[in-house]
Amino acid sequence: MQNNHNILWSKCLDIIKDIVPESAYATWFVPIVPLSYDDNKFTVQVPSSFFYEFLEAKYVDVLRVTIHRVMGPDTLLCYRVKVVDKTPGGTVDYPAANGTALPSAKTSKELTKAPNPFAQSAPQDLDPQLNPKYSFDNFYEGVSNRLARTAAEEVAKNPGKTTYNPLFLYGPSGVGKTHLCHAIGGRIRELCPEKKVLYVSSHLFRIQYTDAIRKNTTNDFLNFYQNIDVLLLDDIQELIGMEKTQNTFFHIFNHLHQLGKQLVLTSDKAPADLQGIEERLITRMKWGLTAEMKRPDVELRKKILLHKIRQESIHMPDEVFHFIAENVSDNVRDLEGVLVSLMAHAVINNREIDMSLARRVISQNVKLEKKQLSIQQIQEVVCDYFNLEISLIQTNSRKREIVQARQIAMYLAKKYTDCSFSHIGKIVGKKDHATVLHACKTIKDQIEINKSFRSSVEEIESLLKK
């Protein structure tokens, strides 16, 4: 049948509509275009690689259940991704689940498990648990991560042969520690395929160890880890308070280090700040290089944002680009989350990405940076509101309107700056600490009992926020 793929996809949509929320259905499934169904291979087109990755990450089970029900359990799903100005044909093909049949419930679950610590295997057979999408090529360098990036590349070139052993990366969530771990592992696998490389989170390491104790297989557990050539252990702070697990890792660490094997550890804190980790283990963490990864500065955020915009072929005005880069400042994950939300809102509402949408989305996802006001700016706005010369509130005049303006300026200076009472007094009228304290109390009392006065102060505050 010529339009068989359209009919089959229509049946799939009927099922999916009952499984996922309406907004998710409109955002992630309506834009999918069925292209063909031949030899148990169902091909669909999606708007971008972002769409493909999101569907695979969030809705692979929904797709699996639905397509198997409509087309049979042997059906393969392939995506055709529209790519703007990147390929001659304008599309790139991606298979679902690495080109195999859509995973069953069992294999989908197994994808998130740590490797079996008791299965002895050749290096090429050991699953390193690495995510290929995290590489040095898409890790963007800035002042905040330059040392970590440089050290990581050296380790990847000469694992176990540099002074950076262990390499200890620390910093807040979302700054790229896990990304660098996977990048190191991936590069070592390319350059040294004979080496056994393993990435594992501390949480899963702990679960494996607990399971080994329960099954009385701790010797097998130790033997497995002591045969690893490159161990990438993420989030070691997860071992805080776990004395037996720490003791076991201590012995694994010693064994690997003595044999010249490479260790890479990450944490949200520096070794010295890891309260609850044994001192002897902390000492060993400091043997190599400790590299801090800070929150990305605005230049690095712009670099990352520009890459992701180009990657997803997103059309974004310059003012929106700069607004996002300047306000989404905590980490890379927040940047990615804002882009996901912007794309979703744009698709659902069939609208362009503009400043109005960007402000709404960012305010929902992250706390917007407050504009830092100076005492001078506050004085200017207050005096302008009351139509007074700014020099007047610097005098000792006791005229009612001047005193009121001076006190409001002091009150707002305390509210919108980090300055002390003493410093505010020096700037506003050369007054002392007690005068500013009294002014703040007076204005607070007036706001509570005088509706007209409260409205005036609120109007001035709205002017300050413009």
Side-chain angles (χ1 to χ4, degrees):
M1 189 182 298
Q2 188 175 2
N3 291 320
N4 190 36
H5 55 277
N6 289 318
I7 296 170
L8 291 171
W9 182 240
S10 180
K11 290 180 180 179
C12 289
L13 288 178
D14 288 340
I15 296 170
I16 292 169
K17 193 183 294 186
D18 292 332
I19 298 175
V20 303
E22 186 178 344
S23 60
Y25 173 80
T27 304
W28 305 112
F29 295 96
V30 171
I32 296 174
V33 178
L35 297 179
S36 64
Y37 179 51
D38 298 304
D39 298 325
N40 288 331
K41 181 180 175 183
F42 185 60
T43 303
V44 298
Q45 181 173 284
V46 292
S48 69
S49 58
F50 159 78
F51 236 86
Y52 156 70
E53 291 173 5
F54 194 91
L55 286 170
E56 282 287 279
K58 301 293 184 183
Y59 293 114
V60 67
D61 286 333
V62 172
L63 288 166
R64 172 184 57 80
V65 170
T66 306
I67 289 176
H68 283 180
R69 186 188 304 179
V70 174
M71 304 176 204
D74 297 325
T75 303
L76 296 173
L77 174 64
C78 280
Y79 300 90
R80 180 160 293 173
V81 177
K82 292 178 71 175
V83 181
V84 179
D85 297 327
K86 289 185 181 179
T87 63
T91 62
V92 172
D93 289 346
Y94 290 98
N98 298 320
T100 61
L102 286 166
S104 64
K106 181 180 178 183
T107 55
S108 177
K109 184 178 179 181
E110 285 173 351
L111 289 173
T112 63
K113 288 174 62 179
N116 180 356
F118 318 128
Q120 293 301 309
S121 57
Q124 62 269 26
D125 297 328
L126 173 68
D127 184 352
Q129 298 294 301
L130 295 170
N131 189 334
K133 85 179 222 182
Y134 295 130
S135 68
F136 286 115
D137 291 337
N138 59 18
F139 183 90
Y140 290 90
E141 182 183 307
V143 176
S144 60
N145 61 25
R146 185 164 294 137
L147 174 62
R149 162 69 182 257
T150 303
E153 288 192 308
E154 286 300 311
V155 164
K157 286 183 206 169
N158 299 290
K161 296 178 182 177
T162 71
T163 55
Y164 309 150
N165 194 18
L167 174 60
F168 190 97
L169 307 173
Y170 78 95
S173 176
V175 294
K177 302 186 299 293
T178 298
H179 188 138
L180 271 187
C181 269
H182 286 279
I184 292 168
R187 180 68 58 81
I188 292 173
R189 291 265 294 175
E190 290 174 13
L191 300 176
C192 311
E194 76 282 359
K195 291 190 180 294
K196 286 186 177 181
V197 178
L198 179 66
Y199 166 86
V200 64
S201 71
S202 295
H203 175 71
L204 289 175
F205 179 88
R206 180 164 54 87
I207 289 173
Q208 285 180 339
Y209 175 65
T210 303
D211 196 47
I213 292 175
R214 185 171 56 83
K215 295 178 179 177
N216 197 28
T217 54
T218 50
N219 286 337
D220 292 329
F221 175 87
L222 279 168
N223 189 45
F224 171 82
Y225 274 99
Q226 288 176 347
N227 277 284
I228 297 298
D229 295 309
V230 180
L231 180 59
L232 309 151
L233 187 70
D234 208 358
D235 291 325
I236 199 168
Q237 74 273 5
E238 294 279 347
L239 300 187
I240 287 176
M242 306 292 171
E243 292 183 13
K244 290 183 179 178
T245 309
Q246 286 180 38
N247 184 58
T248 299
F249 179 66
F250 172 81
H251 293 298
I252 291 170
F253 183 107
N254 275 349
H255 181 86
L256 295 179
H257 197 275
Q258 286 169 10
L259 292 177
K261 309 299 185 181
Q262 181 67 51
L263 293 114
V264 179
L265 312 173
T266 78
S267 172
D268 60 356
K269 297 181 182 69
D273 297 326
L274 287 170
Q275 302 295 324
I277 296 286
E278 288 187 28
E279 187 59 38
R280 61 178 183 167
L281 193 49
I282 288 176
T283 300
R284 279 156 178 77
M285 291 176 193
K286 299 176 184 175
W287 277 356
L289 175 69
T290 298
E292 182 180 9
M293 299 179 70
K294 298 178 181 177
R295 301 189 190 281
D297 60 26
V298 67
E299 291 307 313
L300 180 56
R301 296 199 298 271
K302 286 179 180 179
K303 196 185 293 185
I304 295 167
L305 191 58
L306 185 60
H307 165 74
K308 294 188 178 298
I309 288 171
R310 287 175 175 170
Q311 186 181 46
E312 305 303 338
S313 300
I314 302 171
H315 297 287
M316 181 180 292
D318 286 346
E319 63 173 346
V320 174
F321 173 85
H322 291 293
F323 181 73
I324 294 173
E326 287 165 8
N327 287 281
V328 186
S329 58
D330 274 359
N331 57 62
V332 179
R333 287 188 195 134
D334 283 349
L335 278 176
E336 292 172 340
V338 165
L339 281 181
V340 169
S341 296
L342 278 173
M343 288 182 69
H345 279 79
V347 170
I348 290 172
N349 300 311
N350 191 27
R351 61 175 290 184
E352 296 292 323
I353 294 174
D354 56 18
M355 277 298 294
S356 172
L357 179 60
R359 286 183 184 278
R360 182 153 56 90
V361 167
I362 291 177
S363 66
Q364 292 169 351
N365 283 268
V366 298
K367 188 176 180 181
L368 282 172
E369 294 285 315
K370 283 186 179 179
K371 184 172 73 172
Q372 189 66 13
L373 291 168
S374 68
I375 298 175
Q376 181 63 24
Q377 288 173 310
I378 291 169
Q379 289 184 99
E380 289 171 359
V381 171
V382 170
C383 289
D384 187 57
Y385 181 82
F386 289 111
N387 197 24
L388 293 171
E389 290 290 332
I390 194 169
S391 58
L392 291 174
I393 65 172
Q394 301 298 336
T395 68
N396 289 322
S397 173
R398 301 304 302 165
K399 285 187 178 179
R400 184 175 176 277
E401 63 270 24
I402 296 174
V403 171
Q404 187 180 72
R406 186 189 300 126
Q407 289 181 331
I408 290 175
M410 291 175 172
Y411 167 79
L412 293 176
K414 188 60 187 172
K415 183 173 180 179
Y416 287 100
T417 75
D418 297 326
C419 299
S420 66
F421 288 115
S422 297
H423 183 70
I424 292 169
K426 286 179 184 177
I427 304 298
V428 185
K430 296 181 180 178
K431 304 298 181 183
D432 60 17
H433 168 277
T435 303
V436 180
L437 189 62
H438 172 72
C440 290
K441 185 178 184 305
T442 300
I443 298 302
K444 278 184 182 177
D445 291 344
Q446 285 295 308
I447 287 172
E448 289 178 4
I449 62 174
N450 189 326
K451 185 176 179 181
S452 175
F453 183 81
R454 180 168 65 247
S455 295
S456 295
V457 174
E458 287 173 352
E459 282 183 44
I460 295 171
E461 289 186 88
S462 67
L463 293 170
L464 287 171
K465 294 174 183 177
K466 284 186 177 180

